[in-house]
Amino acid sequence: MSEASLPFNEKIFPRKLLKEEWERSIKKTEEYWAEKAKAISWFKTWDKVLDDSNPPFYRWFVGGILNICYNALDRHLETPRKHQLAYIWEGEPGDVRTFTYYQIYREVNKLAQILKDFGLKKGDRVAVYLPMIPELPITLLATTRLGGIHTVVFSGFSAEALADRINDCQAKIVITADGSYRRGKIVPLKETADRALANTPTVEKVIVVKRTGQQIPMKEGRDHYYHEVMAKVAPNAYVPPEPMEATEPLFILYTSGTTGKPKGVQHGIGGYLVWAYWTLKWGFSPNEEDIWWCTADIGWITGHTYNVYAPLALGTTSFIFEGTPDYPACDRWWEMIERHGITILYTTPTAIRMFMRFGEEWVNKHDLSTLRLLGSVGEAINPEAWKWYYRVIGKEKLPIIDTWWQTETGGFMISPLAGLELVPLKPGSATNPLPGVYPEVYNEKGEIAPISTRGFLVIKAPWPGMLETLWKDPERYKQTYFGRWPNTYYTGDYAVKDPDGYFWLLGRADEVLKVAGHRIGTVELESELVSHPAVSEAAVMGKEDPVKGEVPVAFVVLRSGYTPSEELRQQLVQHIRSTIGPIATPEAIVIVNKLPKTRSGKIMRRLLKAVLVGAALGDISTLEDEASVEDIKATYEELRKQIEKKQ
Ligand code: WTA
């Protein structure tokens, strides 16, 4: 397949000079974004588009007043979209619910009334611990209608992780469900939430959505069933959308970094909304006839931006799904695409690799002719998966929009743009920056790396969707993202720029793993492991995995009195599942006598990595500055022996 020969339909993808847009956005930033921000409904327009007087605390649309829920719902009520579908939802057991913009507006107003009655005020935090059910977006919208700040905790996280997040942001209200469905079984969500709620003094009220229906304990005075409180509110309840400053916080989303506990990425209202709107419009240009399916859980940034705020601001119909791709059978997704007539599929390379394993016969049982665009996110898509996606799902007709971005960036940053100008695609490259994004590849010294040389991806200018700060930790924000090179946003990713100016993302340059597209810090796993009484030291690394991209493997040293056993290893795996959550489950726990250390006492991660992948010693000669060659060789051999014995 030659790159330039992909048959793109000029009518669907009008060519509009991406380059010109990009140059204008960088040279005339304020003028450019003032124009774009007109797509949003403001109660009062801004006084200044970009206040960069106190870098790196950039403030967008300063003085502007708006409400994001108003932009997502109310403004469509005056248009024909009022009675069009906002959401088509399918539950794992096959139950389907649909909501027009008007219907969801009604639900959101009722829930906002309840939150208000429960004492929620502008600036208060609401923690959301829900499966992928319609009440999840409804909760976010009801919260932000009142000017509240939401923090969604992915329902696969543990009680401890939930409690940490609730306590860090001091949430007043928690919304959860009795349970969720996973592969036909009930996941007891309320039980987990209750364990967290035993240690969260700020929580006053808990709203529980009845999803699975089993008996659950409800704490008198604190816990209320969603359907019961909703039934008491007038069906035509109306809660005026709170006028908010563009720079006030919209949500906090915790994400893993290189040190300590997950950090609370804080997004503001105005800049984020403008970014959400334009990135989806440029990336996929959904129109009235589309049914957009972003497969991400709303527990992650991809779900926040592309299952809630961007599609609703654009008036799109979104499909959302509660279940897993292989239940009850490996063609669940294709069957749903066929049945609902889904037109755009935006998913992860891990999902694609999983489907490759299942075999294309599952796909070919279904008519996927409604699809017009495909997208990818979360990790680099390897060319093999890209080609399979293109051939088997896209029938060699549909472009693949490979979007590179991060929790911190709010929306797409580097991506082909089907709604602006589609450049020729190269399998595995996210192609070019969006208007407003100024990426560069730096070497160790902060100089521009030569073309085709691997370096660190940085962003050289502020953009509207960028995080505002880390929740209650501006110093850490400064240090993490702008500490390496002044006024330059450090992404933590490796990248290369090719001779055509295309960007190729090459994975994390730091101690962050991407496991099935989920972001997990090795430090978090290490600190949980050493919190177990049997473990004195731990080092966690990523190991390449054919489906998940990478998986965590832990090297641990035991405290005296403990002996290695399969049972202990299982206990440690269980410990991670219950302290962080199943998504962080280590693939293997390797018990070793000691960890290799540098002269200054730091764990030699590169050596461990080489041991793990069985790389030849020659490949680790760069370690010489960390210890003597003899020591390295001896440790390497010793560790290999231990691994071979124990696996
Ligand atoms: C990785 C997810 C290559 C990258 C939206 C980034 C990607 C991290 C891509 C952010 C892509 C995301 N190609 N790598 N298209 N998309 N990444 O915060 O390492 O969960 O830094 O945001 O995912 O992960 P996060």
Side-chain angles (χ1 to χ4, degrees):
M1 169 176 49
S2 103
E3 281 131 16
S5 70
L6 303 178
F8 300 128
N9 181 335
E10 295 284 328
K11 279 203 189 103
I12 303 180
F13 310 116
R15 295 192 158 247
K16 269 203 215 142
L17 305 171
L18 168 64
K19 190 164 170 278
E20 259 181 43
E21 286 270 331
W22 188 83
E23 279 176 2
R24 203 153 62 82
S25 74
I26 298 300
K27 287 183 190 149
K28 302 202 161 153
T29 304
E30 293 200 64
E31 181 188 301
Y32 186 81
W33 289 111
E35 198 182 283
K36 295 294 170 206
K38 287 188 189 136
I40 298 306
S41 303
W42 300 83
F43 297 148
K44 173 189 166 286
T45 46
W46 52 91
D47 304 320
K48 179 121 183 75
V49 172
L50 170 63
D51 172 6
D52 54 3
S53 59
N54 181 28
F57 299 93
Y58 301 99
R59 299 169 79 233
W60 286 89
F61 304 107
V62 182
I65 306 282
L66 77 168
N67 180 282
I68 200 163
C69 176
Y70 179 92
N71 272 277
L73 303 178
D74 303 45
R75 69 174 182 154
H76 301 310
L77 304 184
E78 291 141 34
T79 74
R81 287 195 193 108
K82 178 174 181 180
H83 297 301
Q84 284 170 12
L85 292 178
Y87 286 112
I88 302 171
W89 169 83
E90 183 159 327
E92 189 187 87
D95 42 340
V96 172
R97 288 164 72 192
T98 58
F99 294 84
T100 62
Y101 273 85
Y102 180 70
Q103 288 166 332
I104 199 153
Y105 165 81
R106 279 275 163 251
E107 287 292 300
V108 165
N109 270 284
K110 282 164 65 183
L111 183 58
Q113 182 63 58
I114 293 162
L115 295 175
K116 199 172 164 187
D117 293 346
F118 282 170
L120 192 82
K121 291 189 298 294
K122 173 174 161 165
D124 287 344
R125 274 78 63 204
V126 174
V128 187
Y129 190 58
L130 283 171
M132 276 292 274
I133 53 178
E135 288 78 6
L136 181 38
I138 288 169
T139 298
L140 305 196
L141 295 162
T143 303
T144 54
R145 189 167 190 86
L146 295 169
I149 301 169
H150 55 75
T151 189
V152 185
V153 182
F154 173 59
S155 61
F157 276 122
S158 67
E160 198 175 296
L162 174 61
D164 282 351
R165 288 156 172 79
I166 291 175
N167 289 332
D168 189 73
C169 72
Q170 306 199 305
K172 198 169 179 178
I173 295 180
V174 172
I175 305 203
T176 185
D178 52 355
S180 65
Y181 291 107
R182 193 164 168 85
R183 298 204 167 88
K185 295 210 183 78
I186 289 175
V187 181
L189 219 54
K190 175 69 164 45
E191 254 177 50
T192 311
D194 275 337
R195 284 203 302 279
L197 290 162
N199 303 306
T200 53
T202 56
V203 176
E204 293 167 12
K205 292 284 182 191
V206 178
I207 301 176
V208 185
V209 178
K210 195 171 196 162
R211 169 67 186 132
T212 43
Q214 76 278 21
Q215 274 292 327
I216 47 161
M218 295 287 279
K219 190 171 167 187
E220 187 70 38
R222 186 195 69 183
D223 300 356
H224 302 266
Y225 269 118
Y226 180 95
H227 65 278
E228 285 177 7
V229 282
M230 286 290 266
K232 289 187 196 138
V233 183
N236 64 344
Y238 172 75
V239 176
E242 184 75 28
M244 301 294 290
E245 295 267 349
T247 52
E248 284 182 294
L250 171 66
F251 64 78
I252 306 163
L253 189 55
Y254 288 87
T255 191
S256 296
T258 50
T259 53
K261 294 260 183 202
K263 38 191 194 207
V265 168
Q266 174 183 322
H267 279 286
I269 303 168
Y272 171 83
L273 179 59
V274 169
W275 196 244
Y277 181 100
W278 281 101
T279 53
L280 182 58
K281 195 171 170 68
W282 282 327
F284 294 90
S285 64
N287 60 43
E288 310 80 71
E289 276 135 47
D290 279 313
I291 299 180
W292 156 255
W293 184 17
C294 160
T295 66
D297 192 291
I298 296 174
W300 310 108
I301 189 68
T302 309
H304 278 60
T305 307
Y306 299 109
N307 267 325
V308 186
Y309 294 114
L312 293 177
L314 280 161
T316 304
T317 301
S318 299
F319 175 70
I320 48 175
F321 175 52
E322 181 188 35
T324 42
D326 54 351
Y327 186 85
C330 295
D331 60 345
R332 178 71 187 259
W333 279 22
W334 319 119
E335 189 269 322
M336 291 191 302
I337 289 176
E338 182 177 33
R339 184 156 39 84
H340 294 289
I342 288 162
T343 61
I344 311 179
L345 174 65
Y346 180 47
T347 191
T348 62
T350 290
I352 299 305
R353 290 189 295 259
M354 192 169 61
F355 292 123
M356 288 169 76
R357 285 247 163 137
F358 297 161
E360 51 193 276
E361 58 279 13
W362 288 103
V363 183
N364 295 337
K365 288 203 312 202
H366 299 280
D367 173 6
L368 303 184
S369 59
T370 53
L371 285 175
R372 73 167 182 95
L373 273 177
L374 303 175
S376 176
V377 62
E379 50 187 315
I381 183 164
N382 47 311
E384 200 194 345
W386 196 104
K387 287 177 184 159
W388 190 90
Y389 197 17
Y390 182 71
R391 181 175 61 80
V392 179
I393 311 301
K395 316 295 179 200
E396 304 196 348
K397 289 197 198 87
L398 311 182
I400 292 173
I401 309 302
D402 176 8
T403 63
W404 174 86
W405 59 294
Q406 308 179 300
T407 304
E408 294 86 343
T409 70
F412 313 151
M413 296 290 279
I414 301 179
S415 174
L417 300 174
L420 185 58
E421 178 189 34
L422 200 62
V423 297
L425 303 178
K426 302 187 189 188
S429 167
T431 74
N432 309 121
L434 271 72
V437 178
Y438 192 167
E440 200 49 90
V441 178
Y442 276 7
N443 68 12
E444 290 277 355
K445 290 189 207 138
E447 300 152 349
I448 294 177
I451 292 296
S452 303
T453 311
R454 187 180 88 162
F456 304 97
L457 183 72
V458 298
I459 313 289
K460 293 180 57 147
W463 67 100
M466 70 190 298
L467 74 165
E468 292 188 319
T469 185
L470 292 175
W471 178 251
K472 297 253 152 70
D473 203 350
E475 241 341 280
R476 192 170 171 204
Y477 160 78
K478 218 166 147 175
Q479 203 45 44
T480 309
Y481 304 107
F482 296 89
R484 189 152 185 177
W485 295 300
N487 294 334
T488 304
Y489 173 86
Y490 177 67
T491 64
D493 274 16
Y494 283 128
V496 97
K497 202 168 160 181
D498 77 11
D500 296 331
Y502 279 39
F503 287 84
W504 297 75
L505 282 305
L506 305 174
R508 298 290 305 192
D510 55 11
E511 300 306 328
V512 170
L513 307 182
K514 282 284 171 101
V515 181
H518 300 145
R519 189 162 154 181
I520 296 169
T522 55
V523 193
E524 279 164 73
L525 274 106
E526 287 162 7
S527 58
E528 291 303 349
L529 283 167
V530 297
S531 78
H532 189 279
V535 178
S536 71
E537 277 187 291
V540 173
M541 357 238 79
K543 184 177 169 216
E544 217 174 289
D545 182 89
V547 175
K548 293 180 174 177
E550 59 183 343
V551 287
V553 170
F555 289 85
V556 301
V557 178
L558 298 182
R559 284 185 192 284
S560 58
Y562 288 89
T563 41
S565 69
E566 189 43 41
E567 200 192 334
L568 179 58
R569 252 181 246 135
Q570 283 314 316
Q571 262 183 36
L572 295 176
V573 167
Q574 202 43 51
H575 180 68
I576 292 295
R577 292 174 66 92
S578 61
T579 50
I580 303 180
I583 54 161
T585 307
E587 158 96 354
I589 304 262
V590 186
I591 299 174
V592 295
N593 301 335
K594 67 174 185 139
L595 290 172
K597 302 265 176 70
T598 63
R599 291 181 178 122
S600 60
K602 274 182 26 194
I603 294 171
M604 291 166 62
R605 294 179 166 277
R606 282 181 297 159
L607 173 61
L608 284 174
K609 190 115 193 177
V611 171
L612 198 60
V613 299
L617 249 192
D619 296 345
I620 55 165
S621 56
T622 48
L623 290 166
E624 273 176 57
D625 54 338
E626 297 182 349
S628 76
V629 180
E630 285 68 37
D631 277 356
I632 294 171
K633 277 191 185 156
T635 317
Y636 179 87
E637 294 307 330
E638 179 57 31
L639 284 170
R640 284 271 349 137
K641 257 189 252 149
Q642 291 184 28
I643 286 194
E644 275 155 22
K645 210 164 60 206
K646 275 158 197 154
Q647 276 182 342

